[in-house]
Amino acid sequence: MKKAFLVLLTGWMISGWQIAGAQQRQFTMAEATNGLRMQLAPERLRQFEWIPGENAYTLLTTGNGTTSWVKFTPSSKNGQQTDTLLTTAALNQQLFADKPLRGLPPLKWLTSQEAWFALGNKLYKGTIQNSRLQCSPWCELPQDAENITVSKSGLIAFTVKNNLFVRNTDGQIQPVTNDTDENIVNGKSVHREEFGIDKGIFISPKGDLVAFYRMDQRMVNDYPIIDWSVTPAKNKNIKYPMAGGTSHEVTLGVYQPSTQKTVFLKTEGPKDQYLTCVTWAPDQQSVYVALLNRDQNHLRLNQYNAGTGELIKTLFEEQDPKYVHPTHPLTFVPGKDDQFIWWSDRSGYNQLYLYNTQGKLLKAINEGPYVVNEILGFNTEKNEIFFTAAKDGAMEKHLYKSSYVRPAVKRLDNAAGWHDAQLNSNGRYIFDVYSSETVPYAARIAATDGSFERTLLTAADPLKDFQRPQIRQVTLKADDGTPLYGKLMLPADFDSTKKYPVVVYLYNGPNVQLVKNSFPYSGNLWFEYMTQHGYIMFVMDGRGSDNRGKAFEQATFRQLGTVEMEDQLKGVAYLQSLPYVNKDKMGVHGWSFGGFMTTSLMLRHPGVFQVAVAGGPVMDWSMYEVMYTERYMDTPAANPEGYTASNLLTKTKNLQGKLLLIHGTNDDVVVWQHSINFLRACVDNEVQVDYFVYPGHLHNVLGKDRVHLMQKITDYFDQYLK
């Protein structure tokens, strides 16, 4: 308890010290909205990448008007050796003399001697010659090629529309599929990118075989997405499986370029089951797939023969009375083709377990009440695995290593904050990038045995000339005693004898965490803009949100918008206890799940907030996608009470105060019909709401449109809270 109090006190003192200097200016709305992407972004290292098989890395550097791709070799004797591999001028001389490039495109290593890059559908390859990269045209893919996947062997897989193609190492382009129905989709991500799925092409370790998803969605209902930017407006139907409805059917194929034959894995079971965690065996003889039932409470990890598609065996099963949520493929231990790391939250926290390929659990890699975030890699000489985790508190992420022979977890960094890292191929060196309340961006290289460390960059504070808020870390308790972490943001010129309006910003849904020790500490410059204009801002992660373990997330199971609101109301009670908070001037704002929460608070707890702005809100969970909704709510038929309680279309008559809805007309995730149906219900109940329609997709709003949107939101709060 004393340690937690000291951390809280120190954070408050630092924030107060930051604003105690000379007069500082306020953000413009453009700076508050887009600044961290543009002129107010901290200086960062660009295109860091370890060179395969070497204790060396490459970076883009800029100096004297030119951009260079530079190789750095860390050395404990002289710091590091530097070699320039390629400059913009050299690349233009080699390839683009007629139409010079202004800078270097992103380059990726194939091997320690070969790299590649793409400009549109044209691919180029570079080879190290005399310590310089000599580049030449590699190949030109079809103009509409997508999902381009390049293997280290030189095999390239890509999709055109709904079909998959492979360019083999001889340069021949082979059609893998030839489905004429656009609703049979090959080589693309499936299951609406749930379960950690972000691709549909899986090239084998040697680069000569290709596994791929095949998704048949002909049986799924069409859903219209209208393009209002043209006259007359045009309709494009998408396939959108809603909760309780018919879902798509997925299979997994294996294509062999040498024979031009495809075998489909015999993943027997219900056709609407989910296939995830796709992993090639190191010897390429088999493919591992996790089969998850539609109820998402029973997983089987299966091994299939890559040549015949036959099931070899089920290694193990995992079940949970609520849901199993697999999001990671198997990670094989280098040099041990019969051992792999499996992620599981069976302990209550997502952690790592060492298995053999017979399905036997060998040992737990780590234990304790904390979540592992990423696997970074291995040092096989020392039997070590490296990962990031929330071991030292959920608001920070740090680097760790452990032996997978005799597990003992050791932290590898000593700076507070949120760390991301890349490990080189042999596990001897690590690239560590982090930020915190007081560090905008820092990067270092370190030997994993502690023998060497070099700081590469400590960025200057791009916000030092701005008026910054005082930020106080807040810890509250849920009804069951669970600690809830939040941040209270006060104006720089805060006067405790005055009363201020408050805006609560929230999300509080699965897989998202708002409260972190990262830069900027507020989490959002718009929050700081609001404090500069006389508001107190408050954010808090309640139960249901990310990085706190299974019980914390599953507390909302079958009752979305209930437990989360109880927690947010704890935050409201805290705010109302503060003598400088104007209880009659309280607003709430959120997007997507946060939009659902915002609207829920206005309708299920009317009178708490006087003003609300809900962006892209779910209004009826029976109209949201199958995979996400049924995980957290079950089906409408199995959980009618939960769907009824969370349905906001039936509660419009409860509205007190002012509510602004914002929705994008082209939103294909939370479809526009949610808000249209809500407006109809408001009309039927003679309830007045305000509505702002964006002609497009709100997730893609950038630049001036984003500034205009945030100004609209700010003006709404000003109108009713000032």
Side-chain angles (χ1 to χ4, degrees), residues 263-330:
V263 170
F264 282 91
L265 306 186
K266 297 179 182 179
T267 51
E268 297 179 354
K271 293 183 178 180
D272 59 357
Q273 66 187 343
Y274 304 119
L275 308 184
T276 188
C277 305
V278 176
T279 311
W280 277 98
D283 64 5
Q284 302 192 154
Q285 297 303 303
S286 59
V287 178
Y288 296 85
V289 186
L291 275 59
L292 183 67
N293 65 334
R294 172 134 175 200
D295 286 341
Q296 301 188 47
N297 56 14
H298 186 180
L299 176 146
R300 291 174 292 147
L301 181 62
N302 286 353
Q303 180 185 18
Y304 295 90
N305 186 301
T308 66
E310 296 289 342
L311 172 67
I312 296 175
K313 63 177 175 292
T314 296
L315 279 75
F316 55 78
E317 302 180 35
E318 287 197 356
Q319 299 185 57
D320 187 274
K322 295 180 178 177
Y323 54 83
V324 180
H325 191 193
T327 56
H328 299 277
L330 285 64

Side-chain angles (χ1 to χ4, degrees), residues 161 292 360 403 419 590 644 671:
K161 296 181 180 178
L292 183 67
K360 180 182 178 181
S403 168
H419 292 249
T644 297
V671 294

Side-chain angles (χ1 to χ4, degrees), residues 395-396 416-419 434-440 487 514-523:
M395 287 183 291
E396 299 202 348
W418 197 266
H419 292 249
Y434 66 94
S435 74
S436 69
E437 177 183 10
T438 58
V439 179
K487 290 180 182 178
L514 295 179
V515 181
K516 303 176 182 178
N517 182 13
S518 58
F519 182 85
Y521 194 52
S522 62

